[in-house]
Amino acid sequence: MTDYGKIDYLDFDIGWPEAAAQDLAEITMMVRKLQPDVIIRGRGIGAYGDYYTPEREVPGGPSPGVWKVIYPCGEAFSYRPNDIYKPAEWILENLIGITAKGGNFEVGFGPMPNGRWPSETVERLEYVGNWLRVNGEAIYNTRPRKVFREGTNVWFTNSKTGDLVYA
């Protein structure tokens, strides 16, 4: 935390045993002292974290505080030969719905052992990227609305300033 300049983000990507709770609290407080602007994922550190990360589940509505859904696009978060990937539409629908509920969305993909990305993942991300080029204003820097959904396919977000509604 001292030899790398400003640290923006820290993720203890592990479920810690109960016996480590006191040590982990002390480590987290030390990190915050050395890097006061760092954002820390709450996994394994509970109240010491800055945001909640449900994995492999999408909340049915807005959740309190800051949150981000983490979901693999295939069976695993990393590369698996012959994996079955969810369709591009699934990524986009979840991105829109989670954003409308006030959350963020991280889709898990991993490169192959040779460092290249499977064509199935590239195709899915290009699909979502093409949609965001046209409609990204309704996703980036938006805020949730009290009424965030109408029917099955209409989701709402507010602009950061609150003067625009996106559907």
Side-chain angles (χ1 to χ4, degrees):
M1 294 287 118
T2 59
D3 292 338
Y4 300 97
K6 185 177 184 291
I7 306 292
D8 296 313
Y9 176 79
L10 180 62
D11 186 341
F12 296 110
D13 193 15
I14 187 170
W16 293 89
E18 187 67 33
Q22 182 61 40
D23 291 336
L24 193 53
E26 291 173 13
I27 290 169
T28 304
M29 288 186 277
M30 176 197 64
V31 166
R32 292 206 185 275
K33 182 178 178 185
L34 296 171
Q35 295 284 341
D37 297 326
V38 70
I39 297 171
I40 304 176
R41 178 180 175 194
R43 182 176 183 192
I45 61 172
Y48 292 99
D50 295 307
Y51 66 98
Y52 169 63
T53 55
E55 289 188 17
R56 297 180 189 254
E57 70 175 80
V58 177
S63 292
V66 180
W67 56 283
K68 172 176 75 172
V69 170
I70 301 173
Y71 219 118
C73 192
E75 296 297 313
F77 284 102
S78 58
Y79 173 75
R80 284 181 51 185
N82 305 310
D83 206 349
I84 309 286
Y85 294 102
K86 294 168 185 66
E89 294 82 5
W90 176 89
I91 299 171
L92 185 56
E93 289 167 6
N94 276 288
L95 173 64
I96 294 167
I98 291 166
T99 301
K101 297 173 199 172
N104 294 289
F105 188 37
E106 177 182 318
V107 182
F109 291 109
M112 297 182 289
N114 65 6
R116 300 184 58 89
W117 292 93
S119 61
E120 299 91 346
T121 65
V122 173
E123 291 164 5
R124 282 156 177 78
L125 294 174
E126 285 177 343
Y127 175 89
V128 174
N130 289 335
W131 186 90
L132 285 168
R133 272 188 211 80
V134 175
N135 303 289
E137 186 177 329
I139 300 294
Y140 298 118
N141 294 311
T142 57
R143 303 295 183 263
R145 295 177 48 81
K146 189 170 188 169
V147 176
F148 60 90
R149 185 176 193 174
E150 183 177 290
T152 312
N153 295 316
V154 181
W155 297 91
F156 300 102
T157 57
N158 271 345
S159 63
K160 186 176 182 179
T161 58
D163 58 338
L164 295 172
V165 176
Y166 300 100

